[in-house]
């Protein structure tokens, strides 16, 4: 005999409400898990074109030799390419431009060639997007701006050392000849750096390319007999604006890893000086301990801190120089470190122990590389090894022939 259905009552009336209270949170949890990748539809996501191109490198070989892993050291990459001839170099640059153009240790002429292939492809893709009616007007405008940027980077005299259009994009450009340079300078920029701000027409010397151009021109002026090269190195993902990401070291840590590999992959043995602006100085601070010995000088300008309390805790034998211009708002940023927030002692504070470089006529947070500024002139002297001519706060030389270089005069 089957049981009789329960008579309608208050329990039956409340059941739908109870069901909603149980199922609604469950639906929210399922939605969050699905969005975060814990729950999938069972259908694997189609790989993006860039991932497919990287995978093709691992499947390929040349002359019967397997291609090295992308995780190989720059020294291993250099050794692999040294075992081949020029024809095979250029074949790999054409076949795998996204890999070869960004692989530290590859001969620079091969990277330049590979990145021309990548830029041409990226420019064509953006040109097609300009006419894509599925995009919003803003999306098509953005595609037009990127196409113009790529066209500029494809200029005949440009030497693009790295190029990655994914995300907001990364790039690095060389001014001068890295293979014959007696000294190499690397400009490491700060927040809001991407492919669209990599170079500018207005406010030119606030962009990585403009900074590097100004520094290279000034180095040639102060030491015309010394072959030098300058790299505009914007090959890391920078924070957007002055927010939480700029107050922490997460992006800087990733940038530091990339910077160390970039320097390890440079040709020759010429001394290297790093010029680290704003958040770029956090990157340089985190990289300092692992940088090759050829890095002799680390210069920070408008720095929020280097993630240490004193220069001698950076773990490097490189000279550390610091400057801050009149009116630079970074002076009002709290120079402290509380857990993951903050970057530590102000590098221009005497307790930090850096050599304090005069900025003189430089103004604001972005004026350090303006032509004619005292800061740029001092940067060029450091970059070319003219240490005894670098001026300090009172206009006097920081170092003299009788003073050990790296110590205050």
């Amino acid at each position: 005999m089957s049981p009789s259905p329960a008579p309608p009552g208050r329990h039956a009336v409340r059941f739908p409400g109870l069901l909603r209270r149980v199922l609604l949170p469950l639906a929210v949890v399922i939605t969050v898990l699905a969005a975060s990748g814990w729950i999938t539809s069972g259908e694997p996501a189609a790989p993006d074109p860039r991932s497919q191109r990287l995978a093709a490198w691992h499947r390929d070989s040349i002359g019967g030799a397997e291609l090295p892993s992308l995780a190989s050291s720059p020294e291993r990459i250099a050794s692999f390419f040294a075992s081949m001839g020029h024809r095979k170099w250029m074949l790999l640059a054409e076949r795998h431009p996204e890999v070869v153009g960004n692989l530290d240790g590859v001969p620079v002429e091969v990277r330049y060639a590979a990145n021309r292939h990548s830029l041409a492809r990226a420019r064509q893709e953006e040109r097609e997007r300009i006419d894509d009616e599925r995009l919003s007007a803003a999306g098509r405008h953005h595609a037009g701006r990127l196409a113009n940027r790529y066209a500029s980077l494809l200029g005949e005299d440009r030497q693009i050392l790295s190029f990655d259009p994914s995300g907001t994009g990364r790039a690095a450009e060389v001014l001068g000849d890295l293979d014959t340079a007696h000294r190499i300078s690397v400009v490491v920029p700060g927040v809001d750096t991407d492919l669209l701000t990599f170079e500018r027409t207005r406010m030119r010397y606030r962009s990585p390319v403009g900074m590097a151009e100004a520094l290279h021109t000034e180095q040639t002026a102060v030491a015309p007999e010394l072959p030098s090269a300058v790299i505009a190195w914007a090959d890391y993902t920078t924070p957007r604006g002055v927010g939480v990401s700029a107050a922490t070291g997460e992006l800087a840590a990733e940038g530091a890893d990339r910077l160390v590999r970039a320097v390890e992959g440079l040709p020759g043995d010429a001394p290297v000086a790093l010029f680290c602006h704003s958040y770029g100085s956090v990157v340089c601070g985190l990289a300092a301990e692992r940088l090759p010995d050829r890095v002799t000088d680390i210069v920070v300008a408008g720095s929020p801190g280097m993630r240490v309390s004193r220069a001698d805790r950076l773990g490097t034998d490189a000279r550390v120089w610091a400057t801050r211009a009149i009116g630079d708002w970074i002076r009002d940023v709290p120079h402290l470190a509380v857990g993951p927030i903050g970057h530590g002692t102000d590098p221009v504070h005497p307790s930090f122990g850096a050599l304090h470089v005069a900025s003189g006529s430089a103004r604001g947070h972005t004026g350090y590389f303006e032509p004619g500024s005292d800061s740029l002139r001092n940067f060029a002297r450091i970059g070319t090894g003219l240490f005894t001519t670098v001026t300090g706060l009172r206009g006097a030389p920081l170092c003299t022939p009788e003073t050990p270089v790296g110590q205050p005069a």
Side-chain angles (χ1 to χ4, degrees), residues 155-246:
E156 186 176 351
D157 60 341
R158 308 296 291 267
Q159 300 179 133
I160 307 304
L161 186 65
S162 63
F163 169 70
D164 181 356
S166 62
T168 58
R170 301 190 296 260
E173 181 174 9
V174 175
L175 301 169
D177 190 335
L178 282 178
D179 288 317
T180 61
H182 288 197
R183 285 190 171 268
I184 298 172
S185 297
V186 182
V187 175
V188 183
V191 301
D192 291 331
T193 300
D194 55 30
L195 282 172
L196 288 177
T197 60
F198 183 57
E199 59 180 346
R200 300 173 186 252
T201 301
R202 294 179 60 252
M203 300 181 292
R204 178 174 181 170
Y205 301 108
R206 298 183 182 185
S207 70
V209 171
M211 293 176 182
E213 287 176 342
L215 183 57
H216 188 244
T217 299
E218 190 68 23
Q219 287 187 172
T220 302
V222 301
E225 75 291 345
L226 180 73
S228 65
V230 180
I231 303 174
W233 190 84
D235 198 17
Y236 80 105
T237 301
T238 69
R240 310 303 296 175
V242 187
V244 174
S245 60

Side-chain angles (χ1 to χ4, degrees), residues 61-76:
S61 63
I62 190 164
E66 292 185 359
L67 303 184
S69 165
L70 299 183
S72 300
S73 69
E75 183 180 13
R76 166 76 179 93

Side-chain angles (χ1 to χ4, degrees), residues 182-187 210-230 271-276 296-301 319 321 323 357-359 367-391 398:
H182 288 197
R183 285 190 171 268
I184 298 172
S185 297
V186 182
V187 175
M211 293 176 182
E213 287 176 342
L215 183 57
H216 188 244
T217 299
E218 190 68 23
Q219 287 187 172
T220 302
V222 301
E225 75 291 345
L226 180 73
S228 65
V230 180
V272 175
L274 305 182
F275 295 86
C276 319
T296 58
D297 296 270
I298 300 175
V299 185
V300 298
R319 288 171 288 265
W321 313 72
T323 188
V357 180
S359 57
Y368 295 96
F369 291 84
E370 287 286 340
S373 65
D374 292 337
S375 53
L376 178 63
R377 192 172 299 111
N378 278 324
F379 293 169
R381 291 165 176 168
I382 295 170
T384 54
L386 301 176
F387 305 114
T388 60
T389 64
V390 179
T391 55
L398 280 174

